[in-house]
Amino acid sequence: MEGAESVAPGQQGARVAPGPARLRRVVLAALAVFVFACAVYLPSMRNAFVWDDHALVENPDVRTLNWVNIQRMFTTNYWEVTDVTGGMYRPLTMLSLYTDYQLYGPEPAGFHLTNTLFNAAVCTLVFAVLLALFGSLTTALMTALFFAAFPMHVENVAWVWGRTDLIATMFMLLSLWCYALWRSRGTTIALAGVIVLFAAALLSKETAVVLPAVVLVLELISHDRARGRSERRNGIVLTVLMFVMALLYLALRKHILGVAVVYFAPFTHGV
């Protein structure tokens, strides 16, 4: 059965392009995951801002639309202009809050809607990445639906501040999806996507630094005998490039924040 087809990582190159019927099923399955994920968290739009949310939304960099403030987001601590200090460098997360404020003003419903959409995108990407790596439509769909309903994600979706994990995960999964495309098709665009999207994940949250290790594991467990020596060498080069990118990111943090790793001072906003 087509839906039960399974392909180990690294074997994609031997697969033929999907026909129209399978492509239609893939699109419908992805849409089902997206809609289901949205439905699970739409009630969160009734939530107000809580605790950390106030400190972020009250940040003048978020409220004012100008190039100077955008530059500050990329050159300062995540909690700049609040009463919190910490070694957090997350400019893309701040940029998303900035965009939300321009769209919705201080109304929390719009911010929660954005979180819901980010989460739906993440769940859909879980489906896409699993399908690209292993080839089983049924397994990818069931896993993505379980992931969408998993209660541990409530904090990241229903709490505006939690979107930093959503955005970082979204870019990490996009990078992995490009990695799977690169492994199966060997295109330069896919290779560039791996690196660029990994950089975007790093600029969203520090935990994205683990992605090179994930790619390394995928390379090590690959047992596709059809892969030539040059393909394996290219995989090693890509992994090294990602580790170099992670080191460059730590150097950037050191330059901007004065520290390469995270520290967090006691939070006092609203207390």
Side-chain angles (χ1 to χ4, degrees), residues 182 219 227 231-241:
W182 174 72
E219 283 292 320
R227 292 183 74 201
E231 290 176 306
R232 291 188 178 277
R233 183 172 61 249
N234 290 341
I236 294 174
V237 170
L238 173 60
T239 305
V240 170
L241 284 176

Side-chain angles (χ1 to χ4, degrees), residues 1-9 11-12 15 22 25-26 29-30 33 126-144:
M1 293 178 61
E2 186 178 15
E5 176 188 2
S6 182
V7 178
Q11 291 184 329
Q12 303 95 320
R15 298 176 61 199
R22 178 175 170 82
R25 285 192 286 272
V26 169
V33 172
V126 168
F127 166 78
V129 169
L130 290 176
L131 183 63
L133 287 175
F134 302 103
S136 173
L137 179 58
T138 302
T139 301
L141 176 60
M142 292 299 101
T143 303

Side-chain angles (χ1 to χ4, degrees), residues 45-59:
M45 290 181 62
R46 297 193 297 265
N47 294 349
F49 292 128
V50 295
W51 206 28
D52 300 23
D53 298 345
H54 293 287
L56 291 171
V57 175
E58 290 170 5
N59 186 329

Side-chain angles (χ1 to χ4, degrees), residues 111-124:
F111 290 80
H112 287 295
L113 174 62
T114 299
N115 273 29
T116 299
L117 294 176
F118 273 133
N119 178 67
V122 166
C123 296
T124 306

Side-chain angles (χ1 to χ4, degrees), residues 159-173:
W159 186 19
V160 171
W161 183 81
R163 79 168 50 173
T164 185
D165 294 292
L166 297 175
I167 298 175
T169 303
M170 180 182 70
F171 284 124
M172 290 173 72
L173 288 170

Side-chain angles (χ1 to χ4, degrees), residues 62-143:
V62 172
R63 293 177 171 233
T64 306
L65 176 62
N66 60 54
W67 177 244
V68 172
N69 282 341
I70 293 178
Q71 287 180 308
R72 289 190 64 197
M73 292 178 194
F74 284 84
T75 56
T76 58
N77 162 34
Y78 181 58
W79 289 102
E80 186 72 11
V81 202
T82 70
D83 53 6
V84 179
T85 59
M88 298 184 181
Y89 181 62
R90 305 172 182 177
L92 290 187
T93 299
M94 285 303 302
L95 189 59
S96 75
L97 294 168
Y98 166 95
T99 303
D100 270 8
Y101 196 89
Q102 308 313 309
L103 292 173
Y104 311 117
E107 297 301 321
F111 290 80
H112 287 295
L113 174 62
T114 299
N115 273 29
T116 299
L117 294 176
F118 273 133
N119 178 67
V122 166
C123 296
T124 306
L125 284 167
V126 168
F127 166 78
V129 169
L130 290 176
L131 183 63
L133 287 175
F134 302 103
S136 173
L137 179 58
T138 302
T139 301
L141 176 60
M142 292 299 101
T143 303

Side-chain angles (χ1 to χ4, degrees), residues 22-42:
R22 178 175 170 82
L23 181 60
R24 185 164 53 251
R25 285 192 286 272
V26 169
V27 171
L28 289 175
L31 183 61
V33 172
F34 187 90
V35 172
F36 176 73
C38 284
V40 169
Y41 285 102
L42 276 179

